Amino acid sequence: MEFVDRIEETKKLNHILSLEKSTFIVMYGRRRLGKSTLLKHVLRKNDIYFLADQTEKRLQIETLAKIIAQNITGFDKVIYPNWSVFFDALNEKTDKKVTLCIDEFPNLVNSSPELPSILQNKLDSKNLKFNLIICGSSQQLMYSLVLDAKSPLYGRADSIMKIGPIKLPYMKEALHLSSIESIEEYAVWGGVPRYWEIRENYSNMKETIVNECLSTNGTFYEEPLKLFKDDIKDMVKTSTLMSYIGNGANRLSEIAGRCGEVATNLSRPLNKLILLGYLKKEIPFGEIERNCKKSLYKINDPYIEFHYRYIQPYRSLIEIGRTAPILSEIEKDFTSFVGNNWENRCREAVSGNVLDGITFGMAYRWWGNVSREERIELDVVAESLDKKHLLVGECKWTKEENADRLLKELNEKAKKLPFAKGHKIITKLFLKNKPNDTSDSVLLPDDVIEMLK
């Protein structure tokens, strides 16, 4: 698969590495997001890339010395008793500025707890001749090693980069899909380039799901557990929480009831999953999070949501190879599943963007009672930055819709909103297919993908 996106990250790395002084860069983010690919993309021919493993310190030093010996002849012919001597030797024998990149840096620290303090001393000396990049997939460990104020490396990085998922438009480009196909596939694989690479090995999405998700030998069969192991000790509780949330228990009281726990006991594990990016806390438009009693917990990663919706509940069937009923369930429910993800993409597209010449802030859902008898739910609500306009939108992922009827209903709902007074209302429909009527208030997949660029 061709290298796509990471435009800003590449630009930033190239700028920092081109400075005259030696620089220290920290990169982190969950597995599969292409951190290593990005690093290799910017490293030059004479730079040094080292993927650390979980071996003992002596072997780690010997292995890295052999890699460096490809650029510095004889570097591996010396026995280095510790990392301090090793880095001094590298600095002494470097005759021109190169970049040393240590990937999965926490693996080195596990066998050499003194390493952060050693690097602190080298960086503080201000006489390093090489750039240093450290990278890691364990977000918690990377935070404690570099971002915690108590860490020896705290405050010493010239740049700290947290790598996130790639946006939807680049999936369309990478896998050569139509706009509708891109939205449907993104609902399953999300913005994870490693998942895209595996998807590329098959002729269609269904074939990928059958072979890689609904098989005990599939790459994705136990994917969430592999990801959680990097940062979470209590795997049982984590998987339990994700299962309940993925299957519709979204309020704290509902989650606690299903788990048989007091709600206050769940605050820490839920907040940790939010911090790691696996969950999100959804609040209605206009609410303040710390005071909001309507908060909903949702899975924040498309594939993990797919897994806990369709894989985890049916593991017993998958284990005995009876996947036809599961595939039937996925196919029956798929339009609804994609529809939920389509809403997320539409809100993302509106947030901070310009529609009808007006710039809008963050877009949210809204739900609540407008009278004792009537409750309203809206898919997209966003206020303009000048506070004069309110965008209200509805998202549909079905074959045919009557746009005129939907807009009429949407305008009626908008008039009843408790926060609409003083705003000019702009209504938009986000639809899968172009309606037969000629409304100019409809945004289609092509439009949303363009706005996401």
Side-chain angles (χ1 to χ4, degrees), residues 394-410:
E394 185 162 353
C395 309
K396 296 287 186 182
W397 194 256
T398 46
K399 288 185 178 179
E400 294 182 8
E401 291 292 347
N402 184 323
D404 288 340
R405 176 181 58 80
L406 287 174
L407 277 171
K408 183 179 178 182
E409 293 173 355
L410 190 58

Side-chain angles (χ1 to χ4, degrees), residues 54-89:
Q54 296 183 11
T55 54
E56 293 183 352
K57 176 169 65 175
R58 178 176 294 181
L59 183 56
Q60 290 170 339
I61 292 175
E62 290 176 1
T63 303
L64 179 52
K66 288 179 182 178
I67 294 172
I68 294 173
Q70 297 174 16
N71 293 347
I72 302 175
T73 304
F75 193 82
D76 58 340
K77 303 303 180 184
V78 178
I79 296 176
Y80 303 99
N82 55 54
W83 283 113
S84 182
V85 173
F86 178 92
F87 286 116
D88 285 342

Side-chain angles (χ1 to χ4, degrees), residues 167-173 177-184 342 345-346 349 353 397 443-453:
K167 291 186 177 180
L168 186 152
Y170 296 98
M171 169 179 264
K172 179 181 180 182
E173 176 186 338
L177 303 170
S178 70
S179 293
I180 288 177
E181 289 170 339
S182 300
I183 288 161
E184 291 180 337
W342 170 236
R345 302 289 76 77
C346 294
N353 228 324
W397 194 256
L443 293 167
L444 300 171
D446 284 341
D447 303 310
V448 170
I449 289 176
E450 184 64 30
M451 291 170 67
L452 287 170
K453 288 182 177 177

Side-chain angles (χ1 to χ4, degrees), residues 225-336:
L225 298 181
K226 295 174 184 175
L227 295 173
F228 298 154
K229 283 179 181 176
D230 283 331
D231 292 294
I232 297 169
K233 292 181 180 178
D234 193 342
M235 299 291 289
V236 174
K237 174 166 279 188
T238 297
S239 192
T240 301
L241 290 171
M242 297 296 280
S243 294
Y244 286 140
I245 294 169
N247 285 280
N250 302 121
R251 297 184 184 279
L252 181 58
S253 58
E254 294 173 324
I255 301 166
R258 297 261 191 111
C259 291
E261 295 237 21
V262 178
T264 52
N265 291 347
L266 299 180
S267 295
R268 180 174 289 183
L270 288 172
N271 288 336
K272 184 170 185 178
L273 287 167
I274 291 172
L275 184 65
L276 294 172
Y278 297 124
L279 284 183
K280 63 182 177 181
K281 199 173 182 181
E282 196 172 81
I283 61 171
F285 173 86
E287 297 278 353
I288 299 173
E289 183 175 338
R290 67 176 180 271
N291 299 328
C292 184
K293 297 180 180 180
K294 299 180 181 179
S295 300
L296 301 178
Y297 291 89
K298 299 285 188 74
I299 294 179
N300 196 35
D301 177 277
Y303 178 71
I304 294 179
E305 182 179 13
F306 181 85
H307 177 93
Y308 282 105
R309 182 89 162 262
Y310 302 114
I311 311 301
Q312 183 69 20
Y314 302 107
R315 284 175 63 94
S316 297
L317 290 176
I318 296 172
E319 292 287 340
I320 61 173
R322 293 181 183 166
T323 58
I326 311 169
L327 193 59
S328 176
E329 181 68 19
I330 293 172
E331 291 173 340
K332 181 179 70 175
D333 197 41
F334 195 64
T335 297
S336 174

